[in-house]
Amino acid sequence: MSTEPQASPELLKLRNEIDSLDKQLLELVNQRARVAEQVGDLKKLEGSTFFRPDRVAQVIEKIKTHNPGPLKGAHVAAIWREIMSACLALESPQRVAVLGPEGTFCEEAAVQYFGGAADFLYCNTFEEVFHATAAGSAQYGVVGVENSTEGVVNRTLDMFRNSPCHIVGEVSMLIRHNLLRSSNTLDGIDVVAAHPQALAQCHAWLSKHLPHAERRPVDSNAEGARLAALNPGWAGISSERAAQQFGLHIVSHAIQDDAYNRTRFAVICLPHTLATPAPTGKDCTSLVISVPNRPGAVHDLLVPLKTHGVSMTRFESRPARTGQWEYYFYIDLEGHPAQPNMAKALAELQSLSAFYKVLGTYPVAAA
């Protein structure tokens, strides 16, 4: 029976120093939490907004600027986001609707934005996320918008058009798909269950390694992992987080066809929960419009953007389902309506449109 070798006096001294520092850190973090509770009490009296993503960003950027190392800036940012999330939970717990069950990339995106202390409401579909947020069951929601490989999530775009919620933030996340199963082998896999987007993003790998397995679409990758845990002949495509959640083996890592596979998630809420964020200098304005079905109508939409020097970063069309070959156009523009050139361009776009709705203005997520 092996035993751990006795630690040297030098190592014991360093461990004691770490223990002492940990104790000091704990006291300081709790001291911060007590001040945060006082801030929460004042916000209740004043009727102020509890969660301020701009304030979170400012604090984290300031900490990163003052960080002397050796910790990396990204690691310091992650630590402070969790500290601020825990302190906010003392002021007022934030309830966030995400695609469930536990272990989805959507949940992971929400953790990146709100921190792990948020109270997550797990929904079966992105439609349910919209409904929960609009109905007030959750203060915020997180939904998938587009993937760098497979493009936009069409159902999400359709929901934006009719929802009272607006976009106040986004998360851009590198997606690593893993094949998960209850046994650590590729043999005997009859079904691969995952979200349709994940199945499409792993098409080439699945065709090569599991050509005869049925590809079964489900509402989320975590749901596919859950089903794989219940069925020995099934596999799921999901995250390492889901593998831990459902006790599955990672049979094969990173099976996505595109190594640089990113997904954009939008953070949504009702306008009275959080108003349009102030300009940051690096913002995106998303809108949906439709124009009369006449020659040159789409071309006319581009003229105000060129005239006022506004860059367009996304242009997607979705059928209006009127039977008249009419379309809604989803557009992302660089800038904030508070900028004069953007305001003029938006006003002219609205005058040309049969339908016009700003879906939200928000800071661009770091890639």
Side-chain angles (χ1 to χ4, degrees), residues 201-224:
Q201 291 162 27
C202 302
H203 171 78
W205 191 95
L206 292 172
S207 296
K208 179 179 179 180
H209 297 279
L210 296 171
H212 303 299
E214 176 193 345
R215 302 179 193 180
R216 186 167 299 186
V218 292
D219 288 331
S220 72
N221 291 332
E223 174 62 12

PDB file of all heavy atoms in Angstrom, residues 201-224:
ATOM      1  N   GLN A 201     -23.125  20.065 -37.544  1.00  0.00           N
ATOM      2  CA  GLN A 201     -21.741  20.506 -37.343  1.00  0.00           C
ATOM      3  C   GLN A 201     -20.764  19.337 -37.269  1.00  0.00           C
ATOM      4  O   GLN A 201     -19.555  19.536 -37.427  1.00  0.00           O
ATOM      5  CB  GLN A 201     -21.652  21.340 -36.067  1.00  0.00           C
ATOM      6  CG  GLN A 201     -22.350  22.690 -36.155  1.00  0.00           C
ATOM      7  CD  GLN A 201     -22.612  23.296 -34.791  1.00  0.00           C
ATOM      8  OE1 GLN A 201     -21.907  23.027 -33.828  1.00  0.00           O
ATOM      9  NE2 GLN A 201     -23.644  24.128 -34.700  1.00  0.00           N
ATOM     10  N   CYS A 202     -21.286  18.126 -37.032  1.00  0.00           N
ATOM     11  CA  CYS A 202     -20.433  16.936 -36.934  1.00  0.00           C
ATOM     12  C   CYS A 202     -20.700  15.948 -38.082  1.00  0.00           C
ATOM     13  O   CYS A 202     -20.360  14.768 -37.990  1.00  0.00           O
ATOM     14  CB  CYS A 202     -20.660  16.236 -35.592  1.00  0.00           C
ATOM     15  SG  CYS A 202     -20.356  17.277 -34.154  1.00  0.00           S
ATOM     16  N   HIS A 203     -21.296  16.441 -39.154  1.00  0.00           N
ATOM     17  CA  HIS A 203     -21.748  15.568 -40.252  1.00  0.00           C
ATOM     18  C   HIS A 203     -20.615  14.709 -40.814  1.00  0.00           C
ATOM     19  O   HIS A 203     -20.759  13.491 -40.976  1.00  0.00           O
ATOM     20  CB  HIS A 203     -22.358  16.432 -41.373  1.00  0.00           C
ATOM     21  CG  HIS A 203     -22.645  15.669 -42.618  1.00  0.00           C
ATOM     22  ND1 HIS A 203     -23.747  14.838 -42.751  1.00  0.00           N
ATOM     23  CD2 HIS A 203     -21.966  15.577 -43.796  1.00  0.00           C
ATOM     24  CE1 HIS A 203     -23.733  14.284 -43.945  1.00  0.00           C
ATOM     25  NE2 HIS A 203     -22.669  14.720 -44.609  1.00  0.00           N
ATOM     26  N   ALA A 204     -19.476  15.321 -41.135  1.00  0.00           N
ATOM     27  CA  ALA A 204     -18.385  14.577 -41.770  1.00  0.00           C
ATOM     28  C   ALA A 204     -17.828  13.499 -40.840  1.00  0.00           C
ATOM     29  O   ALA A 204     -17.567  12.363 -41.271  1.00  0.00           O
ATOM     30  CB  ALA A 204     -17.270  15.540 -42.199  1.00  0.00           C
ATOM     31  N   TRP A 205     -17.658  13.852 -39.553  1.00  0.00           N
ATOM     32  CA  TRP A 205     -17.120  12.874 -38.600  1.00  0.00           C
ATOM     33  C   TRP A 205     -18.071  11.699 -38.446  1.00  0.00           C
ATOM     34  O   TRP A 205     -17.642  10.535 -38.446  1.00  0.00           O
ATOM     35  CB  TRP A 205     -16.869  13.539 -37.255  1.00  0.00           C
ATOM     36  CG  TRP A 205     -16.083  12.684 -36.297  1.00  0.00           C
ATOM     37  CD1 TRP A 205     -14.740  12.701 -36.089  1.00  0.00           C
ATOM     38  CD2 TRP A 205     -16.611  11.656 -35.437  1.00  0.00           C
ATOM     39  NE1 TRP A 205     -14.389  11.761 -35.149  1.00  0.00           N
ATOM     40  CE2 TRP A 205     -15.509  11.095 -34.732  1.00  0.00           C
ATOM     41  CE3 TRP A 205     -17.883  11.151 -35.192  1.00  0.00           C
ATOM     42  CZ2 TRP A 205     -15.667  10.068 -33.812  1.00  0.00           C
ATOM     43  CZ3 TRP A 205     -18.046  10.110 -34.273  1.00  0.00           C
ATOM     44  CH2 TRP A 205     -16.947   9.584 -33.594  1.00  0.00           C
ATOM     45  N   LEU A 206     -19.354  11.982 -38.323  1.00  0.00           N
ATOM     46  CA  LEU A 206     -20.349  10.918 -38.152  1.00  0.00           C
ATOM     47  C   LEU A 206     -20.409  10.032 -39.396  1.00  0.00           C
ATOM     48  O   LEU A 206     -20.543   8.804 -39.292  1.00  0.00           O
ATOM     49  CB  LEU A 206     -21.725  11.533 -37.869  1.00  0.00           C
ATOM     50  CG  LEU A 206     -21.874  12.234 -36.515  1.00  0.00           C
ATOM     51  CD1 LEU A 206     -23.208  12.961 -36.439  1.00  0.00           C
ATOM     52  CD2 LEU A 206     -21.749  11.245 -35.355  1.00  0.00           C
ATOM     53  N   SER A 207     -20.316  10.644 -40.574  1.00  0.00           N
ATOM     54  CA  SER A 207     -20.365   9.862 -41.818  1.00  0.00           C
ATOM     55  C   SER A 207     -19.175   8.917 -41.929  1.00  0.00           C
ATOM     56  O   SER A 207     -19.289   7.805 -42.458  1.00  0.00           O
ATOM     57  CB  SER A 207     -20.387  10.812 -43.029  1.00  0.00           C
ATOM     58  OG  SER A 207     -21.556  11.596 -43.022  1.00  0.00           O
ATOM     59  N   LYS A 208     -18.033   9.349 -41.424  1.00  0.00           N
ATOM     60  CA  LYS A 208     -16.821   8.523 -41.508  1.00  0.00           C
ATOM     61  C   LYS A 208     -16.788   7.439 -40.438  1.00  0.00           C
ATOM     62  O   LYS A 208     -16.453   6.277 -40.723  1.00  0.00           O
ATOM     63  CB  LYS A 208     -15.586   9.417 -41.380  1.00  0.00           C
ATOM     64  CG  LYS A 208     -14.271   8.642 -41.433  1.00  0.00           C
ATOM     65  CD  LYS A 208     -13.070   9.576 -41.321  1.00  0.00           C
ATOM     66  CE  LYS A 208     -11.756   8.798 -41.354  1.00  0.00           C
ATOM     67  NZ  LYS A 208     -10.571   9.700 -41.241  1.00  0.00           N
ATOM     68  N   HIS A 209     -17.122   7.796 -39.196  1.00  0.00           N
ATOM     69  CA  HIS A 209     -16.923   6.864 -38.070  1.00  0.00           C
ATOM     70  C   HIS A 209     -18.186   6.093 -37.671  1.00  0.00           C
ATOM     71  O   HIS A 209     -18.075   4.986 -37.129  1.00  0.00           O
ATOM     72  CB  HIS A 209     -16.393   7.634 -36.858  1.00  0.00           C
ATOM     73  CG  HIS A 209     -15.053   8.253 -37.081  1.00  0.00           C
ATOM     74  ND1 HIS A 209     -13.875   7.548 -36.969  1.00  0.00           N
ATOM     75  CD2 HIS A 209     -14.703   9.517 -37.422  1.00  0.00           C
ATOM     76  CE1 HIS A 209     -12.856   8.347 -37.234  1.00  0.00           C
ATOM     77  NE2 HIS A 209     -13.330   9.552 -37.505  1.00  0.00           N
ATOM     78  N   LEU A 210     -19.355   6.659 -37.917  1.00  0.00           N
ATOM     79  CA  LEU A 210     -20.611   5.988 -37.544  1.00  0.00           C
ATOM     80  C   LEU A 210     -21.606   6.095 -38.701  1.00  0.00           C
ATOM     81  O   LEU A 210     -22.717   6.645 -38.560  1.00  0.00           O
ATOM     82  CB  LEU A 210     -21.200   6.630 -36.274  1.00  0.00           C
ATOM     83  CG  LEU A 210     -20.374   6.496 -34.993  1.00  0.00           C
ATOM     84  CD1 LEU A 210     -20.957   7.365 -33.889  1.00  0.00           C
ATOM     85  CD2 LEU A 210     -20.297   5.031 -34.544  1.00  0.00           C
ATOM     86  N   PRO A 211     -21.245   5.567 -39.869  1.00  0.00           N
ATOM     87  CA  PRO A 211     -22.079   5.763 -41.062  1.00  0.00           C
ATOM     88  C   PRO A 211     -23.457   5.110 -40.976  1.00  0.00           C
ATOM     89  O   PRO A 211     -24.400   5.545 -41.653  1.00  0.00           O
ATOM     90  CB  PRO A 211     -21.245   5.134 -42.179  1.00  0.00           C
ATOM     91  CG  PRO A 211     -20.360   4.139 -41.487  1.00  0.00           C
ATOM     92  CD  PRO A 211     -20.046   4.756 -40.162  1.00  0.00           C
ATOM     93  N   HIS A 212     -23.596   4.068 -40.165  1.00  0.00           N
ATOM     94  CA  HIS A 212     -24.865   3.338 -40.105  1.00  0.00           C
ATOM     95  C   HIS A 212     -25.731   3.733 -38.905  1.00  0.00           C
ATOM     96  O   HIS A 212     -26.849   3.234 -38.755  1.00  0.00           O
ATOM     97  CB  HIS A 212     -24.590   1.831 -40.077  1.00  0.00           C
ATOM     98  CG  HIS A 212     -23.783   1.347 -41.238  1.00  0.00           C
ATOM     99  ND1 HIS A 212     -24.206   1.460 -42.548  1.00  0.00           N
ATOM    100  CD2 HIS A 212     -22.537   0.779 -41.289  1.00  0.00           C
ATOM    101  CE1 HIS A 212     -23.279   0.965 -43.359  1.00  0.00           C
ATOM    102  NE2 HIS A 212     -22.255   0.548 -42.615  1.00  0.00           N
ATOM    103  N   ALA A 213     -25.218   4.599 -38.040  1.00  0.00           N
ATOM    104  CA  ALA A 213     -26.000   5.010 -36.860  1.00  0.00           C
ATOM    105  C   ALA A 213     -27.067   6.023 -37.251  1.00  0.00           C
ATOM    106  O   ALA A 213     -26.821   6.918 -38.072  1.00  0.00           O
ATOM    107  CB  ALA A 213     -25.073   5.599 -35.804  1.00  0.00           C
ATOM    108  N   GLU A 214     -28.232   5.853 -36.681  1.00  0.00           N
ATOM    109  CA  GLU A 214     -29.310   6.832 -36.910  1.00  0.00           C
ATOM    110  C   GLU A 214     -28.953   8.142 -36.222  1.00  0.00           C
ATOM    111  O   GLU A 214     -28.491   8.147 -35.088  1.00  0.00           O
ATOM    112  CB  GLU A 214     -30.624   6.298 -36.336  1.00  0.00           C
ATOM    113  CG  GLU A 214     -31.776   7.297 -36.451  1.00  0.00           C
ATOM    114  CD  GLU A 214     -32.976   6.919 -35.614  1.00  0.00           C
ATOM    115  OE1 GLU A 214     -33.052   5.752 -35.162  1.00  0.00           O
ATOM    116  OE2 GLU A 214     -33.833   7.803 -35.383  1.00  0.00           O
ATOM    117  N   ARG A 215     -29.180   9.266 -36.893  1.00  0.00           N
ATOM    118  CA  ARG A 215     -28.963  10.588 -36.295  1.00  0.00           C
ATOM    119  C   ARG A 215     -30.319  11.132 -35.868  1.00  0.00           C
ATOM    120  O   ARG A 215     -31.148  11.487 -36.709  1.00  0.00           O
ATOM    121  CB  ARG A 215     -28.287  11.529 -37.294  1.00  0.00           C
ATOM    122  CG  ARG A 215     -26.953  10.987 -37.792  1.00  0.00           C
ATOM    123  CD  ARG A 215     -26.292  11.896 -38.805  1.00  0.00           C
ATOM    124  NE  ARG A 215     -25.184  11.216 -39.475  1.00  0.00           N
ATOM    125  CZ  ARG A 215     -24.421  11.759 -40.402  1.00  0.00           C
ATOM    126  NH1 ARG A 215     -24.642  13.028 -40.771  1.00  0.00           N
ATOM    127  NH2 ARG A 215     -23.440  11.076 -40.975  1.00  0.00           N
ATOM    128  N   ARG A 216     -30.516  11.161 -34.570  1.00  0.00           N
ATOM    129  CA  ARG A 216     -31.841  11.526 -34.053  1.00  0.00           C
ATOM    130  C   ARG A 216     -31.803  12.929 -33.441  1.00  0.00           C
ATOM    131  O   ARG A 216     -31.139  13.162 -32.428  1.00  0.00           O
ATOM    132  CB  ARG A 216     -32.297  10.520 -33.003  1.00  0.00           C
ATOM    133  CG  ARG A 216     -33.731  10.771 -32.528  1.00  0.00           C
ATOM    134  CD  ARG A 216     -34.278   9.601 -31.737  1.00  0.00           C
ATOM    135  NE  ARG A 216     -34.310   8.373 -32.541  1.00  0.00           N
ATOM    136  CZ  ARG A 216     -34.855   7.227 -32.117  1.00  0.00           C
ATOM    137  NH1 ARG A 216     -35.405   7.174 -30.919  1.00  0.00           N
ATOM    138  NH2 ARG A 216     -34.844   6.167 -32.885  1.00  0.00           N
ATOM    139  N   PRO A 217     -32.513  13.895 -34.047  1.00  0.00           N
ATOM    140  CA  PRO A 217     -32.528  15.258 -33.486  1.00  0.00           C
ATOM    141  C   PRO A 217     -33.377  15.334 -32.221  1.00  0.00           C
ATOM    142  O   PRO A 217     -34.454  14.733 -32.144  1.00  0.00           O
ATOM    143  CB  PRO A 217     -33.147  16.093 -34.621  1.00  0.00           C
ATOM    144  CG  PRO A 217     -33.933  15.122 -35.439  1.00  0.00           C
ATOM    145  CD  PRO A 217     -33.256  13.794 -35.311  1.00  0.00           C
ATOM    146  N   VAL A 218     -32.858  16.044 -31.219  1.00  0.00           N
ATOM    147  CA  VAL A 218     -33.585  16.289 -29.969  1.00  0.00           C
ATOM    148  C   VAL A 218     -33.475  17.781 -29.656  1.00  0.00           C
ATOM    149  O   VAL A 218     -32.791  18.537 -30.348  1.00  0.00           O
ATOM    150  CB  VAL A 218     -33.025  15.442 -28.805  1.00  0.00           C
ATOM    151  CG1 VAL A 218     -33.305  13.963 -29.034  1.00  0.00           C
ATOM    152  CG2 VAL A 218     -31.531  15.671 -28.628  1.00  0.00           C
ATOM    153  N   ASP A 219     -34.153  18.231 -28.604  1.00  0.00           N
ATOM    154  CA  ASP A 219     -34.258  19.662 -28.323  1.00  0.00           C
ATOM    155  C   ASP A 219     -32.947  20.309 -27.894  1.00  0.00           C
ATOM    156  O   ASP A 219     -32.763  21.517 -28.047  1.00  0.00           O
ATOM    157  CB  ASP A 219     -35.323  19.918 -27.251  1.00  0.00           C
ATOM    158  CG  ASP A 219     -36.737  19.715 -27.788  1.00  0.00           C
ATOM    159  OD1 ASP A 219     -36.931  19.923 -29.000  1.00  0.00           O
ATOM    160  OD2 ASP A 219     -37.619  19.331 -27.008  1.00  0.00           O
ATOM    161  N   SER A 220     -32.041  19.529 -27.304  1.00  0.00           N
ATOM    162  CA  SER A 220     -30.756  20.090 -26.874  1.00  0.00           C
ATOM    163  C   SER A 220     -29.712  18.984 -26.834  1.00  0.00           C
ATOM    164  O   SER A 220     -30.042  17.793 -26.774  1.00  0.00           O
ATOM    165  CB  SER A 220     -30.868  20.728 -25.480  1.00  0.00           C
ATOM    166  OG  SER A 220     -30.988  19.731 -24.478  1.00  0.00           O
ATOM    167  N   ASN A 221     -28.443  19.388 -26.874  1.00  0.00           N
ATOM    168  CA  ASN A 221     -27.363  18.405 -26.774  1.00  0.00           C
ATOM    169  C   ASN A 221     -27.354  17.714 -25.419  1.00  0.00           C
ATOM    170  O   ASN A 221     -27.036  16.529 -25.312  1.00  0.00           O
ATOM    171  CB  ASN A 221     -26.015  19.085 -27.031  1.00  0.00           C
ATOM    172  CG  ASN A 221     -25.876  19.514 -28.478  1.00  0.00           C
ATOM    173  OD1 ASN A 221     -26.459  18.913 -29.372  1.00  0.00           O
ATOM    174  ND2 ASN A 221     -25.103  20.563 -28.704  1.00  0.00           N
ATOM    175  N   ALA A 222     -27.673  18.468 -24.367  1.00  0.00           N
ATOM    176  CA  ALA A 222     -27.713  17.855 -23.036  1.00  0.00           C
ATOM    177  C   ALA A 222     -28.829  16.824 -22.945  1.00  0.00           C
ATOM    178  O   ALA A 222     -28.689  15.804 -22.262  1.00  0.00           O
ATOM    179  CB  ALA A 222     -27.885  18.934 -21.969  1.00  0.00           C
ATOM    180  N   GLU A 223     -29.938  17.064 -23.651  1.00  0.00           N
ATOM    181  CA  GLU A 223     -31.011  16.069 -23.680  1.00  0.00           C
ATOM    182  C   GLU A 223     -30.528  14.808 -24.388  1.00  0.00           C
ATOM    183  O   GLU A 223     -30.835  13.686 -23.968  1.00  0.00           O
ATOM    184  CB  GLU A 223     -32.239  16.639 -24.384  1.00  0.00           C
ATOM    185  CG  GLU A 223     -33.384  15.663 -24.599  1.00  0.00           C
ATOM    186  CD  GLU A 223     -33.983  15.118 -23.306  1.00  0.00           C
ATOM    187  OE1 GLU A 223     -33.681  15.650 -22.212  1.00  0.00           O
ATOM    188  OE2 GLU A 223     -34.762  14.150 -23.389  1.00  0.00           O
ATOM    189  N   GLY A 224     -29.740  14.971 -25.448  1.00  0.00           N
ATOM    190  CA  GLY A 224     -29.150  13.807 -26.111  1.00  0.00           C
ATOM    191  C   GLY A 224     -28.235  13.040 -25.178  1.00  0.00           C
ATOM    192  O   GLY A 224     -28.220  11.804 -25.171  1.00  0.00           O
TER     193      GLY A 224
END
